[in-house]
């Protein structure tokens, strides 16, 4: 799944996200797929609405609805400058290949609506590579289209009453439920699960179970990302629950060559996850990861609590610049409790390019067995306070009783964007 908004590429890669806006949604009357008395949250209410069945959609789990989605959204795209539009996916199983969204648009999954990703590869067109990547990750000269896709979008919401987006395994190996993506009208960028070269992004109340990073913040790959030069910045992640046994709850990188700055993550829970908030970078990637603030993590059954990797290879081609060193600084973690963990920390900077300003405070970690927990640190500089077990020598403990790693007090504009409840009465 991928949403692209101007130069921001917010993509969901084999991942599902439940943005629980349901709390703010007034209960609607049980309706059988009609638009009667439907209430839904949005940045702006939509003037026009239609149901997928108006465009020949068949929710039998067998008929392809790719064309129906394309016709429906193509038709509704005419209303972008006339109050916007909403497409209801009624109860049923709606098999479909990739389709594109449009701006000023709400995709509403009704209760018991299931979007099933088609397993027919011809329904997944290959797209041109992203300019900031230079080549595809799936194929050298292209990349697969995502299930729900769009380019240069503004003001898009995907929401519903407990609808399901089911990738059907072989493309994404997970179930996507009630995904909501909010693209604020005052910014060209928006919420996503892989915010890639995004500014002002808010991801909240997501529950993610995946084989890869629950959230990965990215900004382009090596020389292509450096040249494109579009950072990911001002990203807020609140109340995330993640389980990813082989990957991170939140990865910063490994494609970070356009820079990642000002990420604020608060109240995170990870269960059975390899690592929590991990930086992945390497020589040749250039760019930076700075001003990262993490506060409040509850971690259970982790391989690593803290993991920073300066030798994350994987280059697009051999033209990367071996002198392009990443600048990693101002990485703050506080208020962490972790239990059943195998390793406390593996913090690995780059020789002659130390990762600076690492701050870790108020952390308590218990091991998965009675073994002594290890801190492994190389080429890092920083401080710690009230951290147990005792950190490595490169991160000496501050003596001051009150020492606390920073977390910004002032809110970002994206944090105050509110959704309102809109009503539609009959079709
Ligand atoms: C598509 O939109 C046009 C107006 O632009 C409308 O007249 C037409 O009925 C729509 N088609 C369907 C199938 O709803
Ligand atoms: C979706 O948009 C992309 C460009 O952003 C385009 O290449 C692709 O053909 C579109 N797909 C459909 C089904 O319209
Ligand atoms: C997206 O917008 C950019 C800049 O406005 C433009 O160059 C590009 O062609 C647009 N892409 C698509 C697929 O419309
Ligand atoms: C969605 O499902 C959850 C869990 O099954 C339930 O608690 C909640 O009430 C449901 N919400 C709606 C709007 O149906
Ligand atoms: C995080 O949790 C604390 C304690 O429950 C709460 O006071 C705070 O408002 C929460 N912050 C966010 C952003 O959810
Ligand atoms: C911790 O180590 C044990 C023993 O090696 C292993 O079975 C377990 O999977 C590890 N836990 C995690 C979360 O990696
Ligand atoms: C330390 O972190 C815990 C959560 O792990 C939190 O409940 C507590 O308030 C924090 N203590 C201070 C002094 O901030
Ligand atoms: C930590 O360092 C020790 C000693 O160098 C090494 O034996 C161990 O394998 C390292 N642990 C990890 C998780 O890298």
């Amino acid at each position: 799944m991928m949403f692209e908004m101007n130069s921001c590429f917010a993509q969901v890669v084999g991942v599902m996200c439940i943005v629980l806006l349901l709390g703010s949604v007034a209960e609607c009357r049980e309706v059988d797929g009609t638009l009667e008395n439907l209430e839904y949250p949005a940045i702006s209410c939509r003037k026009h609405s239609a149901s997928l069945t108006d465009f020949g959609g068949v929710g039998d789990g067998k008929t392809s609805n790719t064309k129906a989605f394309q016709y429906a959204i193509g038709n509704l795209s005419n209303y972008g400058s006339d109050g916007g539009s909403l497409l209801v996916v009624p109860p049923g199983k709606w098999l479909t290949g990739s389709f594109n969204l449009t701006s000023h648009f709400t995709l509403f999954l009704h209760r018991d609506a299931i979007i099933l990703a088609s397993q027919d590869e011809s329904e997944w067109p290959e797209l041109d590579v992203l300019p900031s990547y230079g080549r595809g990750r799936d194929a050298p000269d292209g990349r697969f289209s995502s299930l729900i896709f769009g380019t240069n979008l503004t003001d898009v919401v995907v929401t519903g009453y407990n609808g399901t987006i089911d990738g059907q395994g072989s493309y994404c190996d997970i179930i996507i439920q009630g995904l909501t993506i909010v693209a604020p009208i005052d910014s060209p960028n928006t919420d996503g699960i892989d915010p890639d070269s995004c500014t002002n992004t808010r991801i909240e109340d997501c529950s993610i179970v995946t084989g890869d990073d629950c959230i990965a913040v990215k900004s382009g790959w090596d020389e292509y990302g450096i040249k494109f030069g579009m950072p990911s910045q001002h990203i807020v992640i609140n109340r995330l629950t993640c389980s990813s046994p082989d990957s991170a709850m939140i990865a910063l990188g490994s494609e970070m060559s356009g820079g990642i700055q000002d990420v604020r993550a608060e109240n995170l829970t990870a269960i059975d996850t390899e690592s929590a908030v991990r930086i992945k970078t390497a020589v040749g990637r250039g760019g930076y990861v700075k001003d990262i603030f993490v506060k409040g993590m509850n971690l259970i059954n982790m391989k690593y609590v803290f993991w920073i990797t300066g030798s994350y290879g994987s280059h697009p081609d051999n033209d990367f610049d071996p002198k392009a060193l990443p600048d990693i600084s101002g990485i703050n973690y506080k208020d962490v409790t972790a239990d059943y963990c195998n390793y406390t920390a593996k913090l690995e900077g780059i020789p002659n390019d130390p990762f600076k300003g690492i701050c870790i405070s108020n952390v308590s970690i218990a091991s998965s067995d009675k073994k002594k927990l290890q801190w492994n640190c190389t080429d890092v500089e920083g401080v710690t306070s009230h951290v147990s077990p005792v950190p490595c020598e490169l991160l000496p403990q501050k003596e001051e009783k009150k020492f606390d790693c920073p977390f910004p007090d002032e809110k970002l504009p994206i944090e105050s964007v509110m959704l309102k409840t809109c009503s539609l009465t009959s079709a």
Side-chain angles (χ1 to χ4, degrees), residues 186-251:
D186 62 348
S187 102
N189 312 306
T190 185
D191 282 10
I193 267 323
D194 271 20
D196 193 336
S197 295
C198 292
T199 294
N200 293 334
T201 299
R202 178 173 112 190
I203 301 172
E204 58 194 13
D205 299 306
C206 283
S207 271
I208 302 179
V209 179
T210 175
D212 213 323
D213 303 319
C214 285
I215 292 178
V217 182
K218 297 171 182 278
S219 63
W221 204 4
D222 289 25
E223 68 273 23
Y224 302 101
I226 294 169
K227 184 164 170 233
F228 200 72
M230 184 75 69
S232 272
Q233 57 192 342
H234 311 309
I235 300 203
V236 177
I237 302 171
N238 288 330
R239 301 178 301 277
L240 171 68
T241 302
C242 165
S243 180
S244 175
D246 295 316
S247 292
M249 170 160 58
I250 299 173

Side-chain angles (χ1 to χ4, degrees), residues 303-304 307 342-346 374-377:
K303 185 164 182 191
Y304 301 100
W307 195 12
N342 284 359
Y343 303 104
T344 303
K346 184 166 177 168
Q374 264 176 337
W375 280 79
N376 283 28
C377 307

Side-chain angles (χ1 to χ4, degrees), residues 279-294:
I279 296 171
K280 300 196 258 189
T281 187
V283 170
R285 294 193 179 271
Y288 52 85
V289 178
K290 39 188 180 188
D291 307 328
I292 307 301
F293 306 95
V294 180

